[in-house]
Amino acid sequence: MLEIAHGAARAVIDPDGAGLKSFDVGGVPYVETYDGEPPFGSGAVLVPWPNRTAGGRWTLDGVEQRLEITEPARGNAIHGLVRRAVWSVVEHTGSLVSLEVPVAGFGWPVELRTTISYALDDNGLTVSHGVQNVGDARTPFGVGTHPFPRAGLSGTDETTMSLAATTVLPVDPDSLLPTGPAEPVSGDYDFRVARLLDGVELDTAFGGCEPVDGLVRHVLRGPGGGVEVWADPDFKWVQVFTTPEFPGRGRAVAIEPMTCPPDALNSGVDLLWLEPGESWAGRWGLRPLA
């Protein structure tokens, strides 16, 4: 495990998958943590696509590509190619760690180099992603991440959640793949104003995330503290997933910034593209709130 610290803040990153294992300030946790294997994809890095690709198949410039089926029950390829890879440490100082890993094969035809940096400062934790096309053809891609943020010492059901999202993606309840274009949020899917999480059950992709002062902002608040999940404007989507059985915690919520929606490799919605030699960079982070 790789530990970084700044003042009272501390974070731990697992080099297997480069995922965020813990983040606390003065002993107050702002993400769910775990022992052993990360449950429910906790902390995972989702490159070169987040969420699901239908049947593990997609087409690049007229040629069908076949990804490994990593969600056998639904027949999908899920959450990219790097969350189980062993990443190489590029730099590790007191308050920063940077890692990298190549992306190639397994149904991905254009080689990428992807990097991630975790840095602590007075404002909290900043996570910086980089993707470079080191192949000889253009390629689409997407980036996502899978944190389970928590409102400090608050219980999940006494926490409120607000999202920057203005749309919600309809999906088939069995495959969790899109059945049509995103629709304006309303009713149970409208979190533009903070709502209590008690009784809320979601495994839902929200879109139209609108930045405020240059950043997309999702917020959890409770009697034991709060946390803001912020992201650069390229993170136009967010998957929200609730579970009643996070180990050692029970009810927990994942707020997952994504640059594109489920099955974007087929729909083309909000895919990012790189020509050979080009690079992309994007950030998200966690800011503790009083």
Side-chain angles (χ1 to χ4, degrees):
M1 297 296 169
L2 302 167
E3 182 174 334
I4 55 176
H6 174 82
R10 175 179 174 272
V12 175
I13 293 87
D14 188 346
D16 291 350
L20 179 63
K21 188 176 189 297
S22 67
F23 166 51
D24 64 81
V25 180
V28 176
Y30 291 99
V31 294
E32 308 293 356
T33 191
Y34 56 87
D35 295 318
E37 292 295 312
F40 304 105
S42 181
V45 180
L46 315 178
V47 178
W49 77 90
N51 216 284
R52 294 168 173 85
T53 298
R57 298 187 179 196
W58 66 289
T59 300
L60 177 61
D61 293 334
V63 179
E64 184 180 77
Q65 312 296 328
R66 296 192 178 187
L67 303 164
E68 180 183 359
I69 301 300
T70 48
E71 191 183 39
R74 295 189 173 103
N76 299 321
I78 189 170
H79 288 341
L81 297 172
V82 300
R83 64 188 178 121
R84 293 186 177 89
V86 178
W87 293 55
S88 299
V89 177
V90 177
E91 182 179 5
H92 186 191
T93 65
S95 61
L96 177 144
V97 62
S98 298
L99 305 98
E100 68 176 9
V101 73
V103 177
F106 302 99
W108 198 262
V110 179
E111 186 174 359
L112 302 173
R113 173 180 177 264
T114 187
T115 61
I116 192 168
S117 295
Y118 294 89
L120 291 170
D121 61 21
D122 291 344
N123 293 315
L125 177 68
T126 297
V127 186
S128 302
H129 295 265
V131 179
Q132 181 183 16
N133 183 346
V134 294
D136 56 6
R138 69 171 193 144
T139 186
F141 71 98
V143 171
T145 187
H146 204 302
F148 276 82
R150 57 182 288 173
L153 299 175
S154 309
T156 299
D157 284 340
E158 58 182 357
T159 295
T160 64
M161 179 177 72
S162 63
L163 301 175
T166 59
T167 65
V168 61
L169 191 68
V171 298
D172 179 89
D174 296 322
S175 69
L176 297 182
L177 293 168
T179 58
E183 303 168 350
V185 293
S186 63
D188 291 343
Y189 295 109
D190 190 352
F191 290 90
R192 290 174 295 177
V193 175
R195 289 172 45 203
L196 195 65
L197 284 173
D198 187 15
V200 171
E201 295 184 8
L202 296 169
D203 193 353
T204 306
F206 294 88
C209 294
E210 296 183 349
V212 175
D213 297 329
L215 294 174
V216 171
R217 303 177 190 272
H218 315 293
V219 176
L220 296 177
R221 288 187 184 274
V227 64
E228 178 183 78
V229 182
W230 61 265
D232 283 341
D234 274 350
F235 290 89
K236 299 175 181 179
W237 293 82
V238 62
Q239 183 85 11
V240 180
F241 168 67
T242 58
T243 176
E245 50 190 25
F246 196 98
R249 170 70 161 167
R251 281 270 291 167
V253 58
I255 299 178
E256 311 166 35
M258 306 184 299
T259 61
C260 58
D263 208 29
L265 289 175
N266 287 304
S267 71
V269 175
D270 288 330
L271 282 177
L272 301 167
W273 285 83
L274 290 175
E275 297 289 339
E278 287 186 336
S279 298
W280 171 90
R283 304 170 307 146
W284 67 278
L286 296 164
R287 183 170 70 93
L289 304 172

